[in-house]
């Protein structure tokens, strides 16, 4: 066969991941904070995008503020699809619950104890008579909350009483700046001495004086030093206790036989020493105010409906409301030549804006569908607690709502659901199945772990359950589980063996005087 160049026509099908499709997939797994940051970046780049901000957080011209808003039953359909708006999939139902809500988050935790404005006009009048009350920009209740003292504040109040020299106080301030939130000194004496141009002995002397401050254990460099400082303040740092504190790695391994030899004490004395160690604070700085922690905001809210079913809605606080300014587009495009680069840029901005609003809308619908199906599957958990948590996997949810497992996995990542039983990550509801001893319904691995944890928590020093005892107890409760699986679950929950638990419970009982 002769070698020659030739042309062929061929047709084939392939899945092409466009940048828009890839970004739509990324939107699904974004958290509320990440999504907000992404939208703010898009608004800065696109002059046609706006974040709607009405008096209640809704858009001024939002048509979906009444009873015409779509619900979960039409999620995924293209009917009534609004590319310019992202607020048409906020409420839905699991089962036969009503499709409309009387009010957003105000109905989740109703305050029936306080008077309403309509019932107490005199209170409303008093509030409006206060400065700034009429325009809504008056007092913020957070301004009247007494702030807790930080560790730095507590230490700075004590330093003048233990250090009278001005140079020593300056050194002390540098050392305070090198404390972590737990109260441990994370700096280096040598580096601090070099930075301040002082001898290392002076830095060490000041550090030793600072270790006498409250809370006991502050300015320690290691856990052993922290415990030693507290024991010294209690006048309990005898030679045996000092050896125990210096060998915390043996205590972590619960190698009590070696500890008894090193400390030169018997079992009863060692139990007494362990009881004293348990009374100490390994992180003395955490009792004071530290950096502000960010609260988890639920993406889905579940509450009981009047008919006994569950009402599922998206949290409006996590729904960014993006609008496309078509008036601005029409005004600018009418004054721009169709052959100019500005017109091309404007059209590209319009396409990007429409894509973003459609993607956000579809994201809300997808989250709503997945959450509604999870609520339907885990109705027993919501009604009776973790013992009734059903085995569930991604495939079951994906088949029920007609989506791919990867899509469900992305939706359930870093998303939280607020239920009458607390706040849970969506991943919490997916657990493996464990067979039943009587051949009945299988059990959720999480509910079995909860049973094991509950049984161990109810132990007494004289009746500590072994893994075999736990297996027998679970079998009587209808759960078929092997001993090695019980041991695996116990170790995953950081629960020691029965021998170690018996020693620890005896130490606790002795410490409490029992």
């Amino acid at each position: 066969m002769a070698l020659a160049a030739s042309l062929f026509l061929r047709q084939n099908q392939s899945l092409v991941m466009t940048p828009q499709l890839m970004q739509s997939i990324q939107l699904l797994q974004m958290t509320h904070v990440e999504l907000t940051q992404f939208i703010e970046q898009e608004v800065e780049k696109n002059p046609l995008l706006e974040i709607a901000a009405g008096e209640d957080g809704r858009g001024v011209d939002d048509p979906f503020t009444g009873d015409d808003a779509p619900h979960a039953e039409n999620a995924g359909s293209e009917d009534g699809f609004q590319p310019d708006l992202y607020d048409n999939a906020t409420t839905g139902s699991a089962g036969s619950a009503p499709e409309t809500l009387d009010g957003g988050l105000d109905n989740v935790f109703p305050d029936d104890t306080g008077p309403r404005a309509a019932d107490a006009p005199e209170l409303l009048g008093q509030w409006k008579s206060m400065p700034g009350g009429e325009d809504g920009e008056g007092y913020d209740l957070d301004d009247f909350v007494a702030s807790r003292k930080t560790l730095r504040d507590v230490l700075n109040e004590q330093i003048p009483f233990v250090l009278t020299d001005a140079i020593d106080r300056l050194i002390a301030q540098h050392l305070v700046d090198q404390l972590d939130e737990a109260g441990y000194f994370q700096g280096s004496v040598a580096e601090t001495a070099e930075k301040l141009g002082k001898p290392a002995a002076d830095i060490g002397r000041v550090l030793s004086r600072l270790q006498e401050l409250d809370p006991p254990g502050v300015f320690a460099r290691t856990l052993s030093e922290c415990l030693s400082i507290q024991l010294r303040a209690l006048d309990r740092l005898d030679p045996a206790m000092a050896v125990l504190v210096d060998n915390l790695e043996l205590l972590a391994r619960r190698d009590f036989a070696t500890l008894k030899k090193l400390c030169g004490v018997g079992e009863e004395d060692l139990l007494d020493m362990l009881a004293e160690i348990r009374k100490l604070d390994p992180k003395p700085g955490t009792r004071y105010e530290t950096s502000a922690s960010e609260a988890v905001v639920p993406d889905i809210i579940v509450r009981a409906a009047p008919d006994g079913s569950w009402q599922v809605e998206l949290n409006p606080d996590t729904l960014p409301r993006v609008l496309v300014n078509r008036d601005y587009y029409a005004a600018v495009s009418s004054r721009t030549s169709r052959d100019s680069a500005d017109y091309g840029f404007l059209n590209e901005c319009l396409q990007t804006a429409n894509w973003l609003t459609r993607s956000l809308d579809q994201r809300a619908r997808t989250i709503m569908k997945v959450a509604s199906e999870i609520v339907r599957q885990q109705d027993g958990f919501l009604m009776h607690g973790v013992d009734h948590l059903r085995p569930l996997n991604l495939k079951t949810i994906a088949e029920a709502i007609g989506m791919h497992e990867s899509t469900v996995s992305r939706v359930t990542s870093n998303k939280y659901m607020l239920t009458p039983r607390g706040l849970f990550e969506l991943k919490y509801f997916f657990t493996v199945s464990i067979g039943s001893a009587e051949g009945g319904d299988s059990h959720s691995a999480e509910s079995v772990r909860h049973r094991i944890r509950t049984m161990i928590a109810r132990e007494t020093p004289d009746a500590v359950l072994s893994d075999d005892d736990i297996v027998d107890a679970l079998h009587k409760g209808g759960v078929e589980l092997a001993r090695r699986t019980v041991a695996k679950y116990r170790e995953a929950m950081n629960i020691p063996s029965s021998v170690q638990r018996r020693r620890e419970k005896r130490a606790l009982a002795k410490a409490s005087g029992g």
Side-chain angles (χ1 to χ4, degrees):
M1 181 178 180
L3 298 177
S6 59
L7 296 177
F8 294 94
L9 292 177
R10 178 182 303 171
Q11 291 182 344
N12 62 343
Q13 292 181 342
S14 61
L15 179 63
V16 179
M17 295 285 289
T18 63
Q20 289 81 3
L21 179 59
M22 294 177 61
Q23 209 157 45
S24 296
I25 294 175
Q26 293 174 356
L27 287 178
L28 276 178
Q29 57 191 13
M30 283 186 181
T31 64
H32 163 58
V33 176
E34 294 172 344
L35 183 63
T36 302
Q37 294 174 349
F38 171 77
I39 290 176
E40 290 175 351
Q41 294 173 359
E42 291 296 318
V43 170
E44 290 180 359
K45 296 186 296 184
N46 195 329
L48 301 182
L49 281 176
E50 294 180 355
I51 298 179
E55 187 173 322
D56 57 351
R58 297 182 178 273
V60 178
D61 299 326
D62 187 354
F64 291 106
T65 55
D67 297 333
D68 296 331
H71 302 292
E73 62 271 11
N74 58 8
S77 64
E78 297 298 328
D79 298 335
F81 196 69
Q82 300 292 329
D84 298 345
L85 220 16
Y86 175 47
D87 186 43
N88 49 357
T90 57
T91 60
S93 60
S96 58
E99 298 177 357
T100 58
L101 294 177
D102 309 48
L105 286 174
D106 294 336
N107 288 335
V108 180
F109 303 108
D111 184 8
D112 296 331
T113 59
R116 300 182 183 272
D119 301 330
E122 65 281 359
L123 294 181
L124 184 60
Q126 293 176 9
W127 177 258
K128 287 189 175 181
S129 64
M130 298 175 68
E134 296 187 7
D135 57 1
E137 298 181 356
Y139 294 102
D140 187 350
L141 294 180
D142 291 338
D143 296 338
F144 298 92
V145 178
S147 61
R148 295 176 55 193
K149 286 187 176 181
T150 64
L151 179 62
R152 180 188 296 269
D153 296 334
V154 174
L155 295 175
N156 287 336
E157 291 175 355
Q158 302 176 67
I159 288 176
F161 295 97
V162 296
L163 298 174
T164 57
D165 185 73
I167 300 299
D168 290 346
R169 292 183 183 179
L170 178 62
I171 296 174
Q173 290 300 325
H174 280 271
L175 298 180
V176 169
D177 292 338
Q178 300 179 65
L179 291 180
D180 62 9
E181 294 183 352
Y184 284 81
F185 178 67
Q186 298 296 332
S188 170
V189 173
E191 292 179 0
T192 304
E194 182 180 357
K195 179 180 179 181
L196 299 180
K198 302 292 292 184
D202 291 347
I203 307 298
R205 175 179 54 80
V206 173
L207 180 61
S208 298
R209 296 299 306 276
L210 293 178
Q211 289 178 347
E212 301 173 1
L213 302 180
D214 285 333
V218 74
F219 283 100
R221 285 159 287 193
T222 62
L223 177 59
S224 296
E225 187 177 20
C226 178
L227 299 181
S228 298
I229 294 173
Q230 298 180 53
L231 290 169
R232 188 180 298 109
L234 297 173
D235 196 21
R236 280 295 294 122
L237 192 62
D238 52 42
M241 186 67 78
V243 173
L244 176 61
V245 172
D246 291 337
N247 292 273
L248 293 179
E249 67 280 357
L250 296 177
L251 182 59
R253 296 201 303 264
R254 294 177 172 84
D255 189 355
F256 300 119
T258 305
L259 284 175
K260 286 190 293 184
K261 294 179 181 179
L262 292 176
C263 298
V265 297
E267 183 175 353
E268 293 297 327
D269 292 334
L270 182 61
L271 290 176
D272 292 337
M273 295 165 63
L274 294 179
E276 293 188 36
I277 292 291
R278 286 182 175 274
K279 296 178 182 179
L280 305 179
D281 187 358
K283 297 181 179 180
T286 55
R287 69 183 68 174
Y288 300 100
E289 186 70 26
T290 56
S291 57
S293 59
E294 183 178 348
V296 175
V297 180
D299 300 271
I300 305 102
I301 298 174
V302 179
R303 60 192 179 109
D307 60 355
S309 61
W310 299 103
Q311 187 72 43
V312 184
E313 65 175 344
L314 293 179
N315 187 352
D317 290 343
T318 63
L319 296 179
R321 307 177 59 82
V322 181
L323 301 176
V324 179
N325 194 338
R326 296 189 177 276
D327 293 337
Y328 178 74
Y329 171 78
V332 175
S333 61
S334 62
R335 300 194 301 267
T336 305
S337 172
R338 294 184 177 272
D339 298 331
S340 64
D342 293 340
Y343 189 82
F345 169 76
L346 198 62
N347 275 337
E348 182 180 353
C349 289
L350 180 62
Q351 293 176 6
T352 303
N354 287 335
W355 162 82
L356 179 60
T357 53
R358 284 196 298 268
S359 298
L360 292 175
D361 182 272
Q362 189 61 38
R363 177 183 183 271
R365 292 178 182 272
T366 305
I367 294 175
M368 190 67 196
K369 292 174 68 175
V370 172
S372 299
E373 183 60 24
I374 291 177
V375 170
R376 191 184 72 82
Q377 295 280 351
Q378 299 293 0
D379 176 74
F381 165 78
L382 296 174
M383 292 290 295
H384 307 291
V386 69
D387 288 336
H388 296 265
L389 190 66
R390 292 181 53 189
L392 188 63
N393 53 33
L394 298 175
K395 183 179 180 180
T396 303
I397 298 295
E399 291 178 350
I401 63 177
M403 291 185 176
H404 196 270
E405 292 182 43
S406 61
T407 302
V408 178
S409 178
R410 292 186 180 95
V411 169
T412 55
S413 297
N414 300 316
K415 307 293 189 306
Y416 291 86
M417 178 186 293
L418 180 62
T419 71
R421 296 202 169 270
L423 183 67
F424 300 92
E425 188 178 7
L426 293 184
K427 291 287 188 184
Y428 174 83
F429 298 99
F430 296 89
T431 58
V432 299
S433 174
I434 295 178
S436 174
E438 288 81 12
D441 293 337
S442 57
H443 302 270
S444 166
E446 182 62 32
S447 64
V448 173
R449 282 192 289 266
H450 175 71
R451 292 190 188 184
I452 296 174
R453 191 184 303 112
T454 302
M455 284 189 288
I456 293 177
R458 294 174 179 173
E459 291 176 336
T460 61
D462 299 328
V464 176
L465 298 173
S466 65
D467 291 345
D468 290 325
D469 295 334
I470 295 176
V471 170
D472 294 338
L474 290 175
H475 183 79
K476 294 177 181 179
V479 180
E480 188 67 36
L481 205 63
R483 181 185 180 280
R484 61 180 180 275
T485 307
V486 171
K488 181 183 70 174
Y489 284 175
R490 175 177 53 76
E491 292 171 358
M493 294 184 289
N494 294 322
I495 298 176
S497 65
S498 58
V499 176
Q500 296 166 342
R501 296 201 307 274
R502 183 177 292 106
R503 291 172 177 169
E504 292 178 358
K505 289 180 183 296
R506 289 176 58 187
L508 286 175
K510 185 176 289 293
S512 59

